[in-house]
């Protein structure tokens, strides 16, 4: 790839964190009104969960289907809350799920680096670019929950896990067993769906009761 591995890992982690920091910075210094972001975070989380599950949908249709059904059902069963569209618990669940996801993606980044060439470069760029959206989702969830500082910490934490996973995988030529990766992906997809759909339900419920 021409670049040293530490440069690629830290570069990818830092650029990836920008999405989360941009959201938190914007809402803590520029615009504290969070009602308009409340409506978008649910859709963002549903989008990411489908993106996470997508690569698995053809190879593991039952597991990905189960992930969608379980996540969707829990989201529909949870009572709507009118005080906030994302609770601190939901923000933390989002962060934990995407940290788990970053653990996997760190290993993928190491594999992309080892593969090298154009394919490795495109994979590394794709990983970095879509992480911007994922940290932004974590940042937005915390902003809506009213926990700006925790959001910043969560973004740093998930990117630290990404770096550690990449370094460990690179050094030990480690690969995640497919079964473990599939189960993790299913759990991550489910959790994001629960928070995403539930948040949308709260927003919809709110707009109905106020109109
Ligand atoms: Zn990802």
């Amino acid at each position: 790839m021409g670049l040293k591995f530490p440069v690629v890992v830290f570069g990818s982690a830092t650029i990836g964190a920008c999405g989360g920091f941009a959201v938190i910075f914007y809402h803590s210094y520029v615009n504290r009104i969070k009602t308009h972001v409340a409506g978008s975070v649910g859709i963002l989380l549903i989008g990411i969960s489908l993106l996470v599950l997508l690569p698995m949908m053809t190879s593991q249709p039952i597991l990905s289907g189960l992930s969608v059904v379980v996540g969707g059902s829990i989201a529909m069963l949870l009572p709507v809350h009118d005080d906030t569209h994302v609770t601190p618990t939901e923000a933390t669940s989002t962060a934990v799920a995407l940290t788990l996801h970053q653990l996997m993606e760190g290993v993928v980044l190491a594999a992309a680096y080892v593969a090298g060439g154009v394919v490795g470069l495109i994979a590394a760029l794709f990983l970095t670019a879509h992480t911007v959206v994922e940290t932004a989702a974590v940042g937005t969830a915390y902003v809506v929950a009213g926990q700006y500082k925790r959001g910043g910490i969560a973004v740093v934490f998930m990117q630290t896990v990404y770096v550690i996973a990449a370094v460990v995988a690179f050094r030990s030529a480690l690969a995640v067993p497919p079964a473990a990766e599939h189960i993790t992906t299913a759990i991550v997809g489910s959790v994001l769906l629960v928070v995403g759909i539930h948040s949308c339900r709260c927003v919809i419920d709110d707009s109905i009761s106020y109109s």
Side-chain angles (χ1 to χ4, degrees):
M1 211 174 276
L3 287 166
K4 292 249 180 271
F5 184 65
V7 177
V8 172
V9 175
F10 282 100
S12 177
T14 309
I15 297 167
C18 286
F21 285 134
V23 168
I24 295 163
F25 180 82
Y26 177 76
H27 290 288
S28 52
Y29 293 101
V30 185
N31 185 0
R32 266 215 180 244
I33 302 159
K34 57 194 186 192
T35 40
H36 68 286
V37 283
S40 60
V41 67
I43 294 166
L44 189 63
L45 289 175
I46 294 169
I48 293 173
S49 73
L50 295 179
L51 207 68
V52 165
L53 288 170
L54 201 65
M56 203 171 78
M57 279 179 180
T58 45
S59 61
Q60 301 287 327
I62 296 170
L63 192 61
S64 7
L66 207 65
S67 169
V68 172
V69 171
V70 170
S73 306
I74 295 173
M76 295 312 283
L77 290 171
L78 286 172
V80 289
H81 31 68
D82 42 33
D83 50 336
T84 175
H85 295 142
V86 176
T87 61
T89 312
E90 286 176 323
T92 305
S93 307
T94 305
V96 169
L98 284 172
T99 300
L100 204 61
H101 175 68
Q102 286 302 75
L103 186 70
M104 299 291 144
E105 305 233 288
V107 180
V108 176
L109 180 71
Y113 185 84
V114 172
V118 181
V119 176
L121 183 69
I122 290 171
L125 288 175
F126 173 75
L127 278 171
T128 307
H130 95 277
T131 302
V132 174
V133 183
E134 290 167 353
T135 61
V138 169
T140 312
Y142 276 101
V143 163
V144 177
Q147 295 184 317
Y148 296 79
K149 209 170 151 188
R150 275 180 185 228
I153 295 167
V155 170
V156 171
F157 183 71
M158 68 189 276
Q159 294 307 82
T160 306
V161 168
Y162 179 62
V163 169
I164 292 170
V167 171
V168 170
F170 182 66
R171 291 220 164 176
S172 58
L174 193 98
V176 182
E181 200 196 318
H182 293 149
I183 291 167
T184 309
T185 305
I187 293 170
V188 171
S190 244
V191 172
L192 295 179
L193 269 184
V194 170
V195 180
I197 295 173
H198 186 240
S199 176
C200 284
R201 281 186 60 214
C202 296
V203 171
I204 293 165
D205 186 72
D206 243 15
S207 56
I208 290 170
S209 52
Y210 282 115
S211 59

